[in-house]
Amino acid sequence: MAACVLFCINFFLYGYYQMRYVKMVQAAHPEKRGDMNSKNFQKDWMASCDEAEKEMVYQSAYKAYMALGKMIQILLCATMILHLVFHTGILAVIVVGVIYLTMTLTYHRSCVSLQKAKLNL
């Protein structure tokens, strides 16, 4: 129970400090747009970035995708082996598999839609 409470406190503190950081960046760079409480914050923020910042975000996102792809494959194998050895239950295997499938399908769907847009020009 204490771990759950600490997790919730950490979650809210992380959100608070992230909001303070965005406000600090907006104070230093007034051209940066976006309200943290808006559902379109990421689109507004990216629209106010220059090309170099966008390129940095895209490269970082791709590296994160590649790292998560490898890590989720390792976790999927580990959960399958742990299920066989310790009978931990199949739910962990299903959850990790669904996460991996969602990430992969989202990436491929995005690639196909971008390729389609590129071919239609």
Side-chain angles (χ1 to χ4, degrees):
M1 184 65 165
C4 185
V5 171
L6 286 175
F7 174 77
C8 290
I9 291 171
N10 188 31
F11 180 76
F12 286 113
L13 283 176
Y14 177 74
Y16 173 73
Y17 285 119
Q18 185 177 18
M19 193 176 296
R20 284 191 57 181
Y21 180 74
V22 168
K23 296 289 184 192
M24 183 181 69
V25 170
Q26 286 176 335
H29 302 284
E31 70 274 5
K32 298 288 186 187
R33 294 186 316 266
D35 179 25
M36 284 286 291
N37 298 321
S38 170
K39 68 176 185 168
N40 294 325
F41 171 72
Q42 292 175 341
K43 289 181 184 178
D44 294 341
W45 187 267
M46 287 301 291
S48 67
C49 290
D50 63 3
E51 292 300 317
E53 289 172 327
K54 287 180 184 180
E55 184 67 27
M56 185 175 60
V57 169
Y58 297 149
Q59 287 180 7
S60 299
Y62 184 72
K63 286 182 182 179
Y65 167 77
M66 294 304 291
L68 281 175
K70 291 175 186 172
M71 186 54 137
I72 290 175
Q73 289 175 2
I74 292 169
L75 287 174
L76 187 59
C77 291
T79 53
M80 285 192 274
I81 291 169
L82 288 173
H83 172 64
L84 290 174
V85 174
F86 296 113
H87 305 289
T88 57
I90 195 74
L91 182 63
V93 176
I94 292 172
V95 168
V96 175
V98 167
I99 290 170
Y100 183 65
L101 185 66
T102 303
M103 185 182 74
T104 304
L105 288 177
T106 303
Y107 177 76
H108 289 297
R109 183 174 155 238
S110 176
C111 286
V112 167
S113 65
L114 288 173
Q115 189 69 18
K116 234 187 248 185
K118 186 177 179 181
L119 290 175
N120 287 336
L121 291 176

